[in-house]
Coordinates of all heavy atoms in Angstrom, one line a residue:
M1 N -32.7 -4.5 10.1 CA -31.3 -5.0 9.9 C -30.6 -4.7 11.2 O -30.6 -3.6 11.7 CB -30.7 -4.4 8.7 CG -29.3 -5.0 8.5 SD -28.4 -4.1 7.2 CE -29.3 -4.5 5.8
T2 N -29.8 -5.7 11.7 CA -29.0 -5.4 12.9 C -27.6 -5.8 12.5 O -27.3 -6.5 11.6 CB -29.4 -6.3 14.0 OG1 -29.3 -7.7 13.6 CG2 -30.9 -6.0 14.5
A3 N -26.7 -5.2 13.2 CA -25.3 -5.4 13.0 C -24.9 -6.8 13.7 O -25.4 -7.1 14.8 CB -24.4 -4.3 13.7
Q4 N -24.2 -7.6 12.9 CA -23.8 -8.9 13.4 C -22.3 -8.9 13.7 O -21.5 -8.3 12.9 CB -24.1 -10.0 12.4 CG -25.6 -10.1 12.1 CD -26.4 -10.5 13.3 OE1 -26.0 -11.3 14.0 NE2 -27.6 -9.8 13.5
P5 N -21.8 -9.5 14.7 CA -20.4 -9.6 14.9 C -19.7 -10.4 13.9 O -20.3 -11.4 13.4 CB -20.3 -10.2 16.3 CG -21.5 -11.0 16.5 CD -22.6 -10.2 15.8
H6 N -18.6 -10.0 13.4 CA -17.9 -10.8 12.4 C -16.9 -11.7 13.1 O -16.3 -11.4 14.1 CB -17.2 -9.9 11.4 CG -18.1 -9.0 10.7 ND1 -19.0 -9.4 9.8 CD2 -18.3 -7.6 10.8 CE1 -19.7 -8.5 9.3 NE2 -19.3 -7.3 9.9
E7 N -16.8 -12.9 12.5 CA -15.9 -13.9 13.2 C -14.5 -13.8 12.9 O -13.6 -14.3 13.6 CB -16.4 -15.3 12.7 CG -17.8 -15.7 13.2 CD -18.2 -17.1 12.9 OE1 -17.3 -17.9 12.6 OE2 -19.4 -17.4 12.9
V8 N -14.1 -13.0 11.8 CA -12.7 -12.8 11.5 C -12.3 -11.5 12.1 O -12.8 -10.4 11.8 CB -12.5 -12.8 10.0 CG1 -11.1 -12.5 9.7 CG2 -12.9 -14.1 9.4
S9 N -11.3 -11.5 13.0 CA -10.8 -10.3 13.6 C -9.9 -9.6 12.6 O -9.3 -10.3 11.7 CB -10.1 -10.5 14.9 OG -8.9 -11.2 14.7
S10 N -9.6 -8.3 12.8 CA -8.7 -7.6 11.9 C -7.3 -8.2 11.9 O -6.6 -8.1 11.0 CB -8.7 -6.1 12.2 OG -8.4 -5.9 13.5
S11 N -7.0 -8.8 13.0 CA -5.6 -9.4 13.1 C -5.5 -10.7 12.5 O -4.4 -11.3 12.3 CB -5.2 -9.5 14.6 OG -6.1 -10.3 15.3
A12 N -6.6 -11.3 12.0 CA -6.6 -12.6 11.4 C -6.0 -12.6 10.0 O -5.5 -13.6 9.5 CB -8.0 -13.2 11.4
I13 N -6.0 -11.4 9.4 CA -5.4 -11.3 8.1 C -4.3 -10.3 8.2 O -4.5 -9.1 8.6 CB -6.5 -10.7 7.0 CG1 -7.6 -11.7 6.9 CG2 -5.8 -10.4 5.7 CD1 -8.7 -11.2 6.0
E14 N -3.1 -10.8 7.9 CA -1.9 -10.0 8.0 C -2.0 -8.8 7.0 O -2.5 -9.0 5.9 CB -0.7 -10.8 7.7 CG 0.6 -10.2 8.0 CD 1.8 -11.2 7.8 OE1 1.5 -12.4 7.6 OE2 2.9 -10.7 7.7
R15 N -1.5 -7.7 7.4 CA -1.6 -6.5 6.5 C -0.4 -6.5 5.6 O 0.5 -5.6 5.7 CB -1.7 -5.2 7.4 CG -2.1 -4.0 6.6 CD -2.3 -2.8 7.5 NE -2.4 -1.6 6.7 CZ -1.3 -0.9 6.2 NH1 -0.1 -1.3 6.5 NH2 -1.5 0.2 5.5
T16 N -0.3 -7.4 4.7 CA 0.7 -7.5 3.7 C 0.1 -7.7 2.4 O -1.1 -8.1 2.3 CB 1.7 -8.7 3.9 OG1 1.0 -9.9 3.8 CG2 2.4 -8.6 5.3
F17 N 0.7 -7.3 1.3 CA 0.1 -7.4 0.0 C -0.2 -8.9 -0.3 O -1.3 -9.1 -0.8 CB 1.1 -6.9 -1.1 CG 1.4 -5.4 -1.0 CD1 2.5 -5.0 -0.3 CD2 0.5 -4.5 -1.5 CE1 2.7 -3.6 -0.2 CE2 0.7 -3.2 -1.4 CZ 1.8 -2.7 -0.8
T18 N 0.6 -9.8 0.0 CA 0.4 -11.2 -0.3 C -0.8 -11.7 0.5 O -1.7 -12.4 -0.1 CB 1.6 -12.0 0.0 OG1 2.7 -11.5 -0.7 CG2 1.4 -13.5 -0.4
A19 N -0.9 -11.4 1.8 CA -1.9 -12.0 2.6 C -3.3 -11.3 2.3 O -4.3 -12.0 2.2 CB -1.6 -11.7 4.1
V20 N -3.3 -10.0 2.0 CA -4.5 -9.4 1.6 C -5.0 -9.9 0.3 O -6.2 -10.3 0.2 CB -4.3 -7.8 1.5 CG1 -5.5 -7.2 0.9 CG2 -4.1 -7.3 2.9
R21 N -4.2 -10.0 -0.7 CA -4.6 -10.5 -2.0 C -5.2 -12.0 -1.9 O -6.2 -12.3 -2.5 CB -3.5 -10.5 -3.0 CG -3.9 -10.9 -4.4 CD -2.7 -10.8 -5.4 NE -3.1 -11.0 -6.7 CZ -3.4 -12.2 -7.3 NH1 -3.3 -13.3 -6.6 NH2 -3.7 -12.2 -8.6
A22 N -4.5 -12.8 -1.1 CA -4.9 -14.2 -0.9 C -6.3 -14.3 -0.2 O -7.0 -15.3 -0.4 CB -3.9 -15.0 -0.1
S23 N -6.6 -13.3 0.6 CA -7.8 -13.3 1.4 C -9.0 -12.7 0.7 O -10.2 -12.8 1.1 CB -7.6 -12.5 2.7 OG -6.6 -13.1 3.5
L24 N -8.8 -12.1 -0.5 CA -9.9 -11.4 -1.2 C -10.8 -12.5 -1.9 O -10.3 -13.5 -2.3 CB -9.3 -10.5 -2.2 CG -8.6 -9.2 -1.7 CD1 -8.0 -8.5 -2.9 CD2 -9.7 -8.3 -1.1
P25 N -12.1 -12.2 -2.0 CA -12.9 -13.0 -2.9 C -12.4 -12.9 -4.3 O -11.8 -11.9 -4.7 CB -14.3 -12.3 -2.8 CG -14.2 -11.5 -1.5 CD -12.8 -11.1 -1.4
A26 N -12.5 -14.0 -5.0 CA -12.0 -14.1 -6.4 C -12.4 -13.0 -7.3 O -11.7 -12.5 -8.1 CB -12.4 -15.5 -7.0
A27 N -13.7 -12.5 -7.1 CA -14.2 -11.4 -7.9 C -13.4 -10.1 -7.7 O -13.5 -9.2 -8.6 CB -15.7 -11.2 -7.6
N28 N -12.7 -10.0 -6.7 CA -12.0 -8.7 -6.3 C -10.5 -8.7 -6.7 O -9.9 -7.7 -6.7 CB -12.2 -8.3 -4.9 CG -13.6 -8.1 -4.5 OD1 -14.2 -9.0 -3.9 ND2 -14.2 -7.0 -4.9
V29 N -10.0 -9.9 -7.0 CA -8.5 -10.0 -7.2 C -8.1 -9.2 -8.4 O -7.0 -8.5 -8.4 CB -8.1 -11.4 -7.3 CG1 -6.7 -11.6 -7.8 CG2 -8.4 -12.2 -6.0
A30 N -8.8 -9.2 -9.5 CA -8.4 -8.4 -10.7 C -8.4 -6.9 -10.4 O -7.5 -6.2 -10.9 CB -9.4 -8.7 -11.9
A31 N -9.3 -6.4 -9.7 CA -9.3 -5.0 -9.3 C -8.1 -4.7 -8.4 O -7.5 -3.6 -8.6 CB -10.7 -4.6 -8.6
F32 N -7.8 -5.5 -7.5 CA -6.6 -5.4 -6.6 C -5.4 -5.3 -7.5 O -4.6 -4.3 -7.4 CB -6.6 -6.5 -5.7 CG -5.3 -6.5 -4.8 CD1 -5.4 -6.0 -3.5 CD2 -4.1 -7.1 -5.2 CE1 -4.3 -6.0 -2.7 CE2 -3.0 -7.1 -4.4 CZ -3.1 -6.5 -3.1
D33 N -5.2 -6.2 -8.4 CA -4.0 -6.3 -9.3 C -3.9 -5.0 -10.1 O -2.8 -4.5 -10.3 CB -4.1 -7.5 -10.1 CG -3.8 -8.8 -9.3 OD1 -3.4 -8.7 -8.2 OD2 -4.1 -9.9 -9.9
A34 N -5.1 -4.6 -10.7 CA -5.0 -3.4 -11.6 C -4.7 -2.2 -10.8 O -3.9 -1.3 -11.3 CB -6.4 -3.3 -12.3
E35 N -5.2 -2.0 -9.7 CA -4.9 -0.8 -8.9 C -3.5 -0.8 -8.4 O -2.8 0.2 -8.4 CB -5.9 -0.7 -7.7 CG -5.8 0.6 -7.0 CD -6.8 0.8 -5.8 OE1 -7.8 0.0 -5.8 OE2 -6.6 1.7 -5.0
L36 N -3.0 -2.0 -8.0 CA -1.6 -2.1 -7.6 C -0.7 -1.8 -8.7 O 0.3 -1.0 -8.6 CB -1.3 -3.5 -7.0 CG 0.1 -3.7 -6.5 CD1 0.5 -2.7 -5.4 CD2 0.3 -5.1 -6.0
A37 N -1.0 -2.3 -9.9 CA -0.1 -2.0 -11.1 C -0.1 -0.5 -11.4 O 1.0 0.0 -11.7 CB -0.6 -2.8 -12.3
A38 N -1.3 0.1 -11.3 CA -1.3 1.5 -11.6 C -0.4 2.3 -10.7 O 0.2 3.3 -11.1 CB -2.8 2.0 -11.5
I39 N -0.4 2.0 -9.4 CA 0.4 2.7 -8.4 C 1.9 2.4 -8.6 O 2.7 3.3 -8.6 CB 0.0 2.3 -7.0 CG1 -1.4 2.9 -6.7 CG2 1.0 2.9 -6.0 CD1 -2.1 2.4 -5.4
T40 N 2.2 1.1 -8.8 CA 3.6 0.7 -8.8 C 4.3 0.9 -10.2 O 5.6 0.9 -10.2 CB 3.8 -0.8 -8.4 OG1 3.0 -1.6 -9.3 CG2 3.3 -1.0 -7.0
H41 N 3.6 1.1 -11.2 CA 4.2 1.3 -12.5 C 4.5 2.8 -12.8 O 4.9 3.1 -13.9 CB 3.4 0.7 -13.6 CG 3.6 -0.8 -13.6 ND1 2.6 -1.7 -13.1 CD2 4.6 -1.6 -14.0 CE1 3.0 -2.9 -13.2 NE2 4.2 -2.9 -13.7
A42 N 4.2 3.7 -11.9 CA 4.5 5.1 -12.1 C 6.0 5.3 -12.1 O 6.8 4.5 -11.5 CB 3.8 5.9 -11.0
D43 N 6.4 6.4 -12.7 CA 7.9 6.7 -12.7 C 8.4 6.8 -11.2 O 9.5 6.4 -11.0 CB 8.1 8.0 -13.4 CG 7.9 7.9 -14.9 OD1 8.0 6.7 -15.4 OD2 7.6 8.9 -15.6
V44 N 7.6 7.4 -10.4 CA 8.0 7.5 -9.0 C 6.8 6.9 -8.2 O 5.7 7.4 -8.3 CB 8.2 9.0 -8.5 CG1 8.5 9.1 -7.1 CG2 9.4 9.6 -9.3
V45 N 7.0 5.9 -7.4 CA 6.0 5.3 -6.6 C 5.6 6.2 -5.4 O 6.5 6.6 -4.6 CB 6.4 3.9 -6.1 CG1 5.3 3.3 -5.2 CG2 6.7 3.0 -7.3
D46 N 4.4 6.6 -5.3 CA 3.8 7.4 -4.2 C 3.6 6.4 -3.0 O 2.6 5.7 -3.0 CB 2.5 8.1 -4.7 CG 1.9 8.9 -3.6 OD1 2.3 8.9 -2.4 OD2 1.0 9.7 -4.0
L47 N 4.4 6.5 -2.0 CA 4.3 5.6 -0.9 C 3.1 5.8 -0.1 O 2.5 4.8 0.4 CB 5.6 5.7 0.0 CG 6.9 5.3 -0.7 CD1 8.1 5.4 0.3 CD2 6.8 3.8 -1.2
A48 N 2.6 7.0 0.0 CA 1.4 7.3 0.7 C 0.2 6.6 0.0 O -0.7 6.0 0.6 CB 1.1 8.8 0.9
A49 N 0.2 6.7 -1.3 CA -0.9 6.1 -2.1 C -0.8 4.6 -2.0 O -1.8 3.9 -1.9 CB -0.8 6.5 -3.6
L50 N 0.4 4.0 -1.9 CA 0.6 2.6 -1.8 C 0.1 2.1 -0.4 O -0.6 1.1 -0.3 CB 2.1 2.2 -2.0 CG 2.5 0.8 -2.1 CD1 1.8 0.2 -3.3 CD2 4.0 0.6 -2.3
D51 N 0.4 2.9 0.6 CA -0.1 2.6 1.9 C -1.6 2.7 2.0 O -2.3 1.8 2.6 CB 0.5 3.5 3.0 CG 0.2 3.1 4.4 OD1 0.4 1.9 4.7 OD2 -0.3 3.9 5.2
D52 N -2.2 3.7 1.4 CA -3.7 3.9 1.4 C -4.3 2.7 0.6 O -5.3 2.2 1.0 CB -4.1 5.2 0.7 CG -3.8 6.4 1.6 OD1 -3.5 6.2 2.8 OD2 -3.8 7.5 1.0
F53 N -3.7 2.3 -0.5 CA -4.1 1.1 -1.2 C -4.2 -0.1 -0.4 O -5.2 -0.8 -0.3 CB -3.2 0.9 -2.4 CG -3.3 -0.4 -3.1 CD1 -4.3 -0.7 -4.0 CD2 -2.4 -1.4 -2.8 CE1 -4.4 -1.9 -4.6 CE2 -2.5 -2.7 -3.3 CZ -3.5 -2.9 -4.2
L54 N -3.1 -0.4 0.3 CA -3.0 -1.6 1.1 C -4.0 -1.6 2.3 O -4.7 -2.6 2.5 CB -1.6 -1.8 1.7 CG -1.4 -3.1 2.5 CD1 -1.8 -4.4 1.7 CD2 0.0 -3.2 3.0
T55 N -4.2 -0.4 2.9 CA -5.1 -0.3 4.0 C -6.5 -0.5 3.5 O -7.3 -1.2 4.1 CB -5.0 1.1 4.7 OG1 -3.6 1.2 5.2 CG2 -6.0 1.3 5.8
G56 N -6.9 0.1 2.4 CA -8.2 0.0 1.9 C -8.6 -1.5 1.5 O -9.6 -2.0 1.9
W57 N -7.6 -2.1 0.8 CA -7.9 -3.5 0.4 C -7.9 -4.5 1.6 O -8.6 -5.5 1.7 CB -6.9 -4.0 -0.7 CG -7.3 -3.4 -2.0 CD1 -6.8 -2.4 -2.7 CD2 -8.4 -4.0 -2.8 NE1 -7.5 -2.2 -3.9 CE2 -8.4 -3.2 -4.0 CE3 -9.3 -5.0 -2.7 CZ2 -9.4 -3.4 -5.0 CZ3 -10.2 -5.2 -3.7 CH2 -10.2 -4.4 -4.8
W58 N -7.1 -4.1 2.6 CA -7.0 -4.9 3.8 C -8.4 -4.9 4.5 O -8.9 -5.9 4.9 CB -5.9 -4.4 4.8 CG -5.9 -5.1 6.1 CD1 -5.4 -6.4 6.3 CD2 -6.3 -4.6 7.4 NE1 -5.5 -6.7 7.7 CE2 -6.1 -5.6 8.3 CE3 -6.9 -3.5 7.8 CZ2 -6.4 -5.5 9.7 CZ3 -7.2 -3.3 9.1 CH2 -7.0 -4.3 10.0
H59 N -9.0 -3.7 4.6 CA -10.3 -3.6 5.2 C -11.4 -4.4 4.4 O -12.2 -5.0 5.0 CB -10.8 -2.1 5.2 CG -10.1 -1.3 6.3 ND1 -10.4 -1.5 7.6 CD2 -9.2 -0.3 6.3 CE1 -9.7 -0.7 8.4 NE2 -8.9 0.0 7.6
I60 N -11.2 -4.4 3.1 CA -12.1 -5.1 2.2 C -12.0 -6.6 2.5 O -12.9 -7.4 2.7 CB -11.9 -4.8 0.7 CG1 -12.4 -3.4 0.4 CG2 -12.6 -5.9 -0.2 CD1 -12.0 -2.9 -0.9
A61 N -10.7 -7.1 2.6 CA -10.4 -8.5 2.9 C -11.0 -8.9 4.2 O -11.6 -10.0 4.3 CB -8.9 -8.8 2.8
V62 N -10.8 -8.1 5.2 CA -11.3 -8.4 6.6 C -12.8 -8.5 6.5 O -13.4 -9.4 7.1 CB -10.8 -7.4 7.6 CG1 -11.5 -7.6 8.9 CG2 -9.3 -7.6 7.8
R63 N -13.4 -7.5 5.9 CA -14.9 -7.5 5.9 C -15.5 -8.7 5.1 O -16.4 -9.3 5.5 CB -15.3 -6.1 5.2 CG -16.8 -6.0 4.8 CD -17.7 -5.9 6.1 NE -19.0 -5.6 5.7 CZ -19.9 -6.5 5.1 NH1 -19.5 -7.7 4.9 NH2 -21.1 -6.1 4.8
A64 N -14.9 -9.0 4.0 CA -15.4 -10.1 3.1 C -15.2 -11.4 3.8 O -16.0 -12.3 3.8 CB -14.7 -10.1 1.8
A65 N -14.0 -11.6 4.5 CA -13.8 -12.8 5.2 C -14.6 -13.0 6.5 O -14.9 -14.1 6.9 CB -12.3 -12.9 5.6
G66 N -15.0 -11.9 7.1 CA -15.8 -11.9 8.3 C -17.2 -12.5 8.1 O -17.7 -13.1 8.9
D67 N -17.8 -12.2 6.9 CA -19.1 -12.7 6.6 C -19.3 -12.8 5.1 O -19.8 -11.9 4.4 CB -20.2 -11.8 7.2 CG -21.6 -12.4 7.1 OD1 -21.8 -13.3 6.4 OD2 -22.5 -11.9 7.9
P68 N -18.7 -13.9 4.5 CA -18.7 -14.0 3.1 C -20.1 -13.9 2.4 O -20.3 -13.4 1.3 CB -18.1 -15.4 2.8 CG -17.3 -15.7 4.0 CD -18.1 -15.0 5.2
E69 N -21.1 -14.5 3.1 CA -22.5 -14.5 2.5 C -23.0 -13.0 2.5 O -23.6 -12.6 1.5 CB -23.4 -15.4 3.3 CG -23.1 -16.8 3.2 CD -22.0 -17.3 4.2 OE1 -21.7 -16.6 5.2 OE2 -21.4 -18.3 3.9
D70 N -22.8 -12.3 3.5 CA -23.2 -10.9 3.6 C -22.5 -10.1 2.5 O -23.0 -9.2 1.9 CB -23.0 -10.3 4.9 CG -23.6 -8.9 5.1 OD1 -24.8 -8.7 4.8 OD2 -22.9 -8.0 5.5
W71 N -21.2 -10.3 2.3 CA -20.4 -9.6 1.3 C -21.0 -9.9 -0.1 O -21.1 -9.0 -0.8 CB -18.9 -10.1 1.4 CG -18.0 -9.4 0.5 CD1 -17.5 -9.9 -0.7 CD2 -17.5 -8.1 0.6 NE1 -16.7 -9.0 -1.3 CE2 -16.7 -7.9 -0.5 CE3 -17.7 -7.1 1.5 CZ2 -16.0 -6.7 -0.7 CZ3 -17.0 -5.9 1.3 CH2 -16.2 -5.7 0.2
Q72 N -21.3 -11.1 -0.4 CA -21.9 -11.5 -1.7 C -23.2 -10.8 -1.8 O -23.6 -10.3 -2.9 CB -22.0 -13.0 -1.8 CG -22.5 -13.4 -3.2 CD -21.8 -12.8 -4.3 OE1 -20.5 -12.9 -4.4 NE2 -22.4 -12.2 -5.3
R73 N -24.0 -10.9 -0.8 CA -25.4 -10.2 -0.8 C -25.3 -8.7 -1.1 O -26.0 -8.2 -1.9 CB -26.1 -10.5 0.5 CG -27.5 -10.0 0.6 CD -28.3 -10.4 1.8 NE -27.5 -10.4 3.1 CZ -27.0 -11.5 3.7 NH1 -27.2 -12.7 3.2 NH2 -26.4 -11.4 4.8
M74 N -24.3 -8.1 -0.5 CA -24.1 -6.7 -0.7 C -23.8 -6.4 -2.2 O -24.3 -5.5 -2.8 CB -23.0 -6.1 0.2 CG -22.8 -4.6 0.0 SD -21.1 -4.0 -0.2 CE -20.0 -5.2 -0.5
H75 N -22.9 -7.2 -2.8 CA -22.6 -7.0 -4.2 C -23.8 -7.3 -5.1 O -23.9 -6.7 -6.1 CB -21.4 -7.9 -4.5 CG -20.1 -7.2 -4.1 ND1 -19.5 -6.2 -4.8 CD2 -19.3 -7.4 -3.1 CE1 -18.4 -5.8 -4.2 NE2 -18.2 -6.6 -3.2
T76 N -24.5 -8.3 -4.7 CA -25.7 -8.7 -5.5 C -26.7 -7.5 -5.5 O -27.2 -7.1 -6.5 CB -26.4 -9.9 -5.0 OG1 -25.4 -11.0 -5.1 CG2 -27.6 -10.3 -5.8
E77 N -26.9 -6.9 -4.3 CA -27.9 -5.8 -4.2 C -27.3 -4.6 -4.9 O -28.1 -3.9 -5.6 CB -28.1 -5.5 -2.7 CG -29.0 -6.6 -2.0 CD -29.1 -6.3 -0.6 OE1 -28.8 -5.2 -0.1 OE2 -29.7 -7.2 0.1
A78 N -26.1 -4.3 -4.9 CA -25.5 -3.2 -5.6 C -25.7 -3.3 -7.1 O -26.0 -2.4 -7.8 CB -24.0 -3.1 -5.2
E79 N -25.4 -4.5 -7.6 CA -25.6 -4.8 -9.0 C -27.1 -4.6 -9.4 O -27.4 -4.1 -10.5 CB -25.1 -6.2 -9.4 CG -25.2 -6.5 -10.9 CD -24.5 -5.4 -11.8 OE1 -23.5 -4.9 -11.4 OE2 -25.1 -5.0 -12.8
Q80 N -28.0 -5.0 -8.6 CA -29.4 -4.8 -8.8 C -29.8 -3.4 -8.9 O -30.6 -2.9 -9.7 CB -30.3 -5.5 -7.8 CG -30.2 -7.1 -7.9 CD -30.9 -7.7 -6.7 OE1 -31.2 -7.1 -5.7 NE2 -31.1 -9.0 -6.8
I81 N -29.2 -2.6 -8.0 CA -29.4 -1.1 -8.0 C -28.9 -0.5 -9.3 O -29.5 0.3 -9.9 CB -28.9 -0.5 -6.7 CG1 -29.7 -0.9 -5.5 CG2 -28.8 1.0 -6.8 CD1 -29.1 -0.6 -4.2
R82 N -27.6 -0.9 -9.6 CA -27.0 -0.3 -10.8 C -27.8 -0.7 -12.1 O -27.8 0.2 -13.0 CB -25.6 -0.9 -10.9 CG -24.5 -0.1 -10.4 CD -23.1 -0.5 -10.8 NE -22.7 -1.8 -10.3 CZ -22.1 -2.1 -9.2 NH1 -21.9 -1.1 -8.3 NH2 -21.8 -3.3 -8.8
S83 N -28.3 -1.9 -12.1 CA -29.0 -2.3 -13.3 C -30.5 -1.8 -13.4 O -31.1 -2.0 -14.4 CB -29.0 -3.8 -13.5 OG -29.8 -4.4 -12.5
G84 N -30.9 -1.2 -12.3 CA -32.3 -0.7 -12.3 C -33.3 -1.7 -11.8 O -34.5 -1.4 -11.8
Q85 N -32.9 -2.9 -11.5 CA -33.8 -3.9 -11.0 C -34.4 -3.6 -9.6 O -35.4 -4.2 -9.2 CB -33.2 -5.3 -11.0 CG -32.7 -5.8 -12.3 CD -31.9 -7.1 -12.2 OE1 -31.5 -7.5 -11.1 NE2 -31.6 -7.7 -13.3
R86 N -33.7 -2.7 -8.9 CA -34.1 -2.4 -7.5 C -33.8 -0.9 -7.3 O -32.8 -0.4 -7.8 CB -33.3 -3.3 -6.6 CG -33.4 -3.1 -5.2 CD -32.5 -4.0 -4.4 NE -32.6 -3.7 -3.0 CZ -32.4 -4.5 -2.1 NH1 -32.1 -5.8 -2.3 NH2 -32.5 -4.2 -0.8
S87 N -34.7 -0.3 -6.5 CA -34.4 1.1 -6.2 C -33.4 1.2 -5.1 O -33.2 0.3 -4.3 CB -35.7 1.8 -5.8 OG -36.1 1.4 -4.5
A88 N -32.7 2.4 -5.1 CA -31.6 2.6 -4.2 C -32.1 2.8 -2.8 O -31.4 2.6 -1.8 CB -30.7 3.7 -4.6
G89 N -33.4 3.2 -2.7 CA -33.9 3.5 -1.3 C -33.5 4.9 -0.8 O -32.9 5.7 -1.6
A90 N -33.8 5.1 0.4 CA -33.5 6.5 1.0 C -32.0 6.6 1.2 O -31.4 5.7 1.5 CB -34.3 6.6 2.3
S91 N -31.6 7.9 1.1 CA -30.2 8.1 1.4 C -30.0 8.2 2.9 O -31.0 8.3 3.7 CB -29.8 9.5 0.8 OG -30.4 10.5 1.6
L92 N -28.8 8.1 3.4 CA -28.5 8.1 4.8 C -29.0 9.4 5.4 O -29.5 9.4 6.5 CB -27.0 8.0 5.0 CG -26.5 8.0 6.5 CD1 -27.2 7.0 7.3 CD2 -25.0 7.9 6.6
A93 N -28.8 10.5 4.7 CA -29.2 11.8 5.2 C -30.8 11.8 5.4 O -31.3 12.4 6.4 CB -28.8 12.9 4.2
E94 N -31.5 11.2 4.5 CA -33.0 11.1 4.6 C -33.4 10.3 5.8 O -34.3 10.7 6.6 CB -33.6 10.6 3.3 CG -33.5 11.5 2.1 CD -33.8 10.8 0.8 OE1 -33.7 9.6 0.7 OE2 -34.2 11.5 -0.1
V95 N -32.7 9.2 6.0 CA -33.0 8.3 7.1 C -32.7 9.0 8.4 O -33.5 9.0 9.4 CB -32.2 7.0 7.1 CG1 -32.4 6.2 8.3 CG2 -32.7 6.2 5.8
L96 N -31.6 9.7 8.5 CA -31.2 10.4 9.7 C -32.2 11.6 10.0 O -32.6 11.8 11.1 CB -29.8 10.9 9.6 CG -28.7 9.9 9.7 CD1 -27.4 10.5 9.4 CD2 -28.7 9.1 11.0
A97 N -32.6 12.3 8.9 CA -33.6 13.4 9.1 C -34.9 12.9 9.6 O -35.5 13.5 10.5 CB -33.8 14.1 7.7
R98 N -35.4 11.7 9.2 CA -36.6 11.1 9.7 C -36.5 10.8 11.2 O -37.4 10.8 11.9 CB -37.0 9.9 9.0 CG -37.7 10.1 7.6 CD -38.1 8.8 7.0 NE -36.9 8.4 6.2 CZ -36.9 7.3 5.4 NH1 -37.9 6.5 5.4 NH2 -35.8 7.1 4.7
R99 N -35.3 10.6 11.6 CA -35.0 10.3 13.0 C -34.6 11.5 13.8 O -34.3 11.4 15.0 CB -33.9 9.2 13.1 CG -34.3 7.9 12.5 CD -33.3 6.8 12.7 NE -33.7 5.6 12.1 CZ -33.2 4.4 12.3 NH1 -32.2 4.3 13.1 NH2 -33.7 3.4 11.8
G100 N -34.7 12.7 13.2 CA -34.5 13.9 13.9 C -33.0 14.3 14.0 O -32.7 15.2 14.8
V101 N -32.2 13.6 13.3 CA -30.7 14.0 13.3 C -30.4 14.9 12.2 O -30.8 14.7 11.0 CB -29.9 12.7 13.2 CG1 -28.4 13.0 13.1 CG2 -30.2 11.7 14.3
Q102 N -29.8 16.0 12.5 CA -29.5 17.0 11.4 C -28.0 16.9 11.2 O -27.2 16.9 12.1 CB -29.9 18.4 11.9 CG -31.4 18.6 11.9 CD -31.7 20.0 12.2 OE1 -30.9 20.9 12.2 NE2 -33.0 20.3 12.4
L103 N -27.6 17.0 9.9 CA -26.2 16.9 9.5 C -25.7 18.3 9.4 O -26.2 19.2 9.0 CB -26.0 16.2 8.2 CG -26.4 14.7 8.3 CD1 -26.3 14.1 6.9 CD2 -25.7 13.9 9.3

């Protein structure tokens, strides 16, 4: 597997709640809404948590928009691993150890 350049630059999706939500794959919108509601319905809104939330979802939106087919493939493979249809394979630490890298 090689890294492929993504066609959507990080600046292509504005880092706002509306733009990020609109850029998400449909399967992720409910999770976005639920997490946002949990943060904003608190008695006191934690602004750091709100900023972390937006940053995290912005990264997801950029990544998913950059290569939608790869994004879908990743979710398909993750579901196969969760359901036991596919083994998880070696951990990153195991792969690095085989290459002589010590953590």
Side-chain angles (χ1 to χ4, degrees):
M1 180 188 296
T2 60
Q4 301 296 319
H6 297 292
E7 293 186 20
V8 175
S9 72
S10 59
S11 62
I13 297 174
E14 190 177 345
R15 194 178 167 274
T16 65
F17 294 98
T18 304
V20 168
R21 187 180 187 280
S23 299
L24 289 172
N28 297 105
V29 173
F32 176 95
D33 290 344
E35 190 176 342
L36 180 59
I39 294 170
T40 58
H41 287 101
D43 291 336
V44 176
V45 175
D46 180 347
L47 295 179
L50 193 58
D51 188 53
D52 289 344
F53 163 82
L54 182 57
T55 299
W57 281 102
W58 177 76
H59 284 289
I60 290 170
V62 169
R63 168 71 172 76
D67 190 342
E69 293 81 21
D70 187 54
W71 183 255
Q72 182 56 46
R73 185 173 38 257
M74 183 226 11
H75 279 283
T76 300
E77 290 175 9
E79 184 53 40
Q80 290 171 346
I81 291 168
R82 266 194 294 274
S83 69
Q85 296 172 352
R86 176 183 177 148
S87 72
S91 69
L92 177 59
E94 293 167 335
V95 171
L96 292 173
R98 279 184 271 183
R99 295 181 180 197
V101 177
Q102 293 187 6
L103 300 177

